[in-house]
């Protein structure tokens, strides 16, 4: 067990939503400062230290050579590397770009090459684990703040964090929601999505869109069949659903790839 | 004498930005606010996506202001496919966006900006000497987040706002609870205005053009007419006629200019200046007591305007809850596709936000166009720095750097947002 944890919060290609969820620990923040030294967090601090760190939260995916270099350096300087949120774990929404032909993306900047020479972009969204060993995959867009606390606690105790990999359906049943998929034939992603959010969407009358990425041993092909046969979705619609938060994840690749 | 200022990674703002400045004999020669945040090409990958998911996808442009991105996308898409929402939905969306402004403004004021004026490197260091101050900020921020959660199901990237309405109606008990907490929060909000009126904000002034939405007797947040201190008056559909964009080679963010004139400012200062009359009663009184007299052209006083808007957001939210009409939930798939074009301008915490979509008869997006407030402000930030630098040219270099950063932070730039711009 450690007395105090030296941590860093780093942003790569993400939206800052995961960092915002970290700062949503409003009630716990004062106590947190007793147990955690925030050594690096550019969004919150002017004095930032280069490490080494006990634990680093990396928000965002890798999409530039500069980020790749930084990621490798962070791996060397950190004991526990946390892929913080879907962008880091699976590429999240921006990974839809990976399926878009470059000609379409070049329309966004009329003279792409002018900037390209200075600030290169891979024009692809790549999860961290493609490049370095990741110790903890903290899923969600964003991960619920309780799961952030769980990772911090586990880091202090020197144990593996307990993160749920069963489907959202389990949490949904615990909330005693009626099932939107079986009784209303709406295309809910709950059966293949990792739990952790507390089944937020079905609890407010909306189907799960899969924002925690694939659960362990998900069976996306079977759910895809249900979507087509029982919910009346076309093949394109099914592909779009899987090519959303985790199209770049191996578990979903078969359906997300359109194959 | 030549001074070169370089900030590789501006701290205490959202996202990845840098400053490159060269001052020769007190005169700025180069002033570049560069943005190295990697572009995510939203406008490119939205093409081919379904009209019912656009707000969910664009929410991920920014985790600090997902709400205005959702509302701008929803309104633009609804216009494109011909859906009109009822008053209940309109008011709930206003409430959600006031919650969004509240949490974002408090984050900037207490966690990002205040440490500069109180002599700390961060709110975390400040908390060691003055925990009460940070606690007050965190409590207000939580209230803003809880408003979003009650209305939208989740604070960061809400889930229940959909095309045509909400999939869920917040219970009266939850709304009443929010109302009680909002009433209680009036005092902390008033103290926030007082705190920022007492800080020693630099009185640098520059007569720039300021643009905000206006809307008759209502404090505009989700819809309105574009108005400027330079005489511009235009409907949201005319946005692209008056505001042009130019690409610069040192930044991923395009720059916005008013056609034929130049850079402009958006955000809390333009909003309060142009809507002073329709601030909530308490907010207007607090503004008067703080000596705020519109039209203010001192960019550092954006901090004071932001504090005034904290109190305004609290009081407007109370009014919305008190007068909320009855309404019912809609399903996420309630509406069928139709082809069309629609655009919308809303007020994000940092200023105007423009979304526009062309949708085909299958309901799939064919073209998307998004301009964010930080992209609009980028050129104006540089112009302000050029005006401000000669007044601080005698300071030591570190002090100059800090002052430049403080000016940038007064805009509360949200850099992730600013790099997805289509067309010129
Ligand atoms: S996972 Fe979601 S909340 Fe986190 S950075 Fe990515 S888009 Fe933002
Ligand atoms: S509503 Fe969705 S998450 Fe809930 S049990 Fe049904 S399929 Fe699972
Ligand atoms: S129910 Fe699904 S989409 Fe909703 S928050 Fe949970 S994982 Fe995300």
């Amino acid at each position: 067990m450690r007395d105090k944890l030296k941590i860093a919060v780093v942003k790569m290609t993400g939206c800052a939503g995961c960092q915002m969820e970290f700062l949503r620990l409003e009630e716990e923040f004062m106590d947190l400062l007793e147990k955690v030294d925030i050594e690096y967090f550019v969004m919150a601090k002017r004095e930032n230290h280069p490490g080494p760190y006990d634990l680093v939260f990396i928000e965002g995916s890798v999409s530039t050579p500069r980020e790749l270099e930084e990621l490798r350096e962070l791996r060397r300087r950190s004991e526990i590397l946390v892929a913080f949120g879907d962008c880091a774990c699976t590429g999240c929404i921006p990974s839809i770009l990976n399926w878009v032909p470059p000609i379409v993306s070049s329309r966004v900047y009329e003279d792409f090459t002018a900037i390209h020479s200075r600030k290169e972009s891979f024009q692809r969204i790549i999860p961290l684990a493609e490049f370095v060993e990741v110790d903890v995959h903290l899923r969600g867009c964003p991960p619920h703040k309780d799961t952030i606390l769980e990772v911090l606690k586990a880091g202090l105790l020197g144990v593996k964090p307990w993160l749920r990999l069963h489907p959202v359906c389990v949490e949904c049943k615990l909330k005693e929601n009626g099932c939107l998929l079986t009784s209303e034939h709406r295309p809910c992603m709950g059966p293949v999505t990792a739990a952790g959010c507390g089944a937020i969407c079905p609890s407010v009358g909306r189907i799960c869109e899969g924002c925690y990425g694939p659960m362990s041993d998900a069976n996306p092909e079977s759910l895809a069949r249900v979507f087509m046969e029982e919910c009346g979705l076309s093949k394109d619609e099914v592909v779009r659903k899987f090519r959303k938060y985790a199209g770049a994840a191996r578990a979903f690749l078969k359906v997300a790839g359109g194959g | 004498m030549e001074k070169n200022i370089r900030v590789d990674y501006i701290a205490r703002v959202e996202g990845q930005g840098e400053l490159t400045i060269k001052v020769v004999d007190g005169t700025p020669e180069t002033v570049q606010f560069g943005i190295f945040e990697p572009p995510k090409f939203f406008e490119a990958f939205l093409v081919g996506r379904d009209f019912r998911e656009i707000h969910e996808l664009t929410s991920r442009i920014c985790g600090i202001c997902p709400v205005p991105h959702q509302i701008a996308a929803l309104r633009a898409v609804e216009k494109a496919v011909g859906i009109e929402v009822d008053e209940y939905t309109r008011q709930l969306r206003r409430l959600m966006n006031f919650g969004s402004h509240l949490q974002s403004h408090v984050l900037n004021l207490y966690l990002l900006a205040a440490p500069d004026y109180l002599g700390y490197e961060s709110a975390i260091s400040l908390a060691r000497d003055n925990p009460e101050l940070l606690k007050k900020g965190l409590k207000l921020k939580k209230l803003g987040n809880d408003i979003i959660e009650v209305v939208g199901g989740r604070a960061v990237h809400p889930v229940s706002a959909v095309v045509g309405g909400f999939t869920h109606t917040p219970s009266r008990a939850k709304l009443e609870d929010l109302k009680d907490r909002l009433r209680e929060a009036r005092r902390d909000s008033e103290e926030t205005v007082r705190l920022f009126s007492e800080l020693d904000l630099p009185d640098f002034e520059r007569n720039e053009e300021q643009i905000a939405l206006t809307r008759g007797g209502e404090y505009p947040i989700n819809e309105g007419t574009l108005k400027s201190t330079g005489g511009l008056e235009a409907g949201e559909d005319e946005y692209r006629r008056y505001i042009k964009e130019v690409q610069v080679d040192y930044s991923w963010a395009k720059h916005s200019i008013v056609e034929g004139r130049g850079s402009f400012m958006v955000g809390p200062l333009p909003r309060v200046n142009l809507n002073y009359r329709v601030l909530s009663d308490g907010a207007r009184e607090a503004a008067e007591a703080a000596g705020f007299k519109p039209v203010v052209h001192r960019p550092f006083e954006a901090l004071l305007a932001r504090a005034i808007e904290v109190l305004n957001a609290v009081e407007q939210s109370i009014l919305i809850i008190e007068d909320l009409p009855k309404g019912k939930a809609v399903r996420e798939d309630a509406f069928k596709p139709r082809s069309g074009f629609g655009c919308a301008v809303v007020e994000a915490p940092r200023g105007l936000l423009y979304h526009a979509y062309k949708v085909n008869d299958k309901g799939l997006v064919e073209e998307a166009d998004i301009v964010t407030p930080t992209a609009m402000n980028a050129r104006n930030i540089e112009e302000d720095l050029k005006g401000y630098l000669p007044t601080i040219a005698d300071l030591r270099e570190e002090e100059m750097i800090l002052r430049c950063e403080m000016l940038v932070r007064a805009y509360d730039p949200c850099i992730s947002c600013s790099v997805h711009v289509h067309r010129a």
Side-chain angles (χ1 to χ4, degrees), chain B residues 207-278:
Chain B
N207 192 14
E208 78 290 277
E209 180 159 8
Q210 301 186 1
I211 311 183
L213 290 180
T214 59
R215 194 173 199 275
E218 184 176 285
Y219 200 82
I221 187 155
N222 289 344
E223 58 198 312
T225 309
L226 294 161
K227 209 167 179 176
S228 91
T229 54
L232 174 79
E233 208 165 337
E236 64 184 0
D237 295 334
E238 297 174 296
Y239 178 86
R240 275 293 183 196
R241 247 178 68 198
Y242 293 103
I243 313 289
K244 301 290 167 197
E245 288 182 298
V246 286
Q247 185 167 312
V248 291
D249 68 358
Y250 55 84
S251 176
W252 278 116
K254 285 185 188 175
H255 286 181
S256 291
I257 49 175
V258 180
E259 173 84 331
R261 291 209 280 269
S263 76
F264 59 95
M265 179 198 271
V266 295
L269 193 54
R271 271 197 303 264
V272 174
N273 275 329
L274 290 158
N275 292 287
Y276 194 75
R277 237 173 8 91
V278 284

Side-chain angles (χ1 to χ4, degrees), chain A residues 116-132:
Chain A
H116 200 88
S117 56
R118 295 183 55 123
K119 327 256 176 187
E120 274 183 64
S121 161
F122 292 140
Q123 290 197 66
R124 273 184 73 75
I125 298 294
I126 313 165
L128 306 187
E130 300 277 320
F131 299 112
V132 297

Side-chain angles (χ1 to χ4, degrees), chain A residues 24 26, chain B residues 67 91-103 139-156 158 160 166 168 170 174-175 177-183 185 221 310-321:
Chain A
R24 216 163 64 79
E26 290 117 352
Chain B
V67 171
Q91 293 300 341
L92 269 192
R93 285 181 183 172
R94 285 183 74 221
L95 180 58
M96 188 157 84
N97 203 7
F98 277 121
S100 166
H101 281 233
L102 177 57
Q103 59 86 24
K139 194 170 164 204
L140 279 171
K141 180 170 161 296
K142 182 167 170 24
L143 180 57
N145 280 324
D146 290 351
I147 293 175
I148 306 172
E149 191 171 325
V150 166
V151 179
R154 175 162 71 182
V156 178
S160 65
F166 287 87
H168 162 83
K174 282 199 172 153
L175 290 171
D177 174 60
L178 278 183
K179 197 173 79 187
D180 293 343
R181 286 171 59 200
L182 282 159
R183 285 202 174 126
I221 187 155
V310 165
L311 180 53
N312 182 59
V314 164
E315 297 196 322
Q316 301 283 355
S317 300
I318 297 173
L319 295 174
I320 295 171
I321 294 175

Side-chain angles (χ1 to χ4, degrees), chain A residues 168 193 197 199-202 208-212, chain B residues 154:
Chain A
V168 170
T193 302
C197 68
I200 294 177
C201 298
C208 169
E209 290 290 351
C211 90
Y212 270 56
Chain B
R154 175 162 71 182

Side-chain angles (χ1 to χ4, degrees), chain A residues 14-18 59 85-87 92 140-142, chain B residues 60 157:
Chain A
C15 81
C18 293
E59 176 199 276
D86 279 2
C87 285
C92 198
C141 176
Chain B
R60 273 70 187 184
H157 302 314

Side-chain angles (χ1 to χ4, degrees), chain A residues 11-29:
Chain A
K11 176 172 193 278
M12 295 198 173
T13 304
C15 81
C18 293
Q19 298 179 79
M20 287 301 281
E21 189 68 14
F22 192 100
L23 293 174
R24 216 163 64 79
L25 291 163
E26 290 117 352
E27 282 170 323
E28 299 85 355
F29 205 75

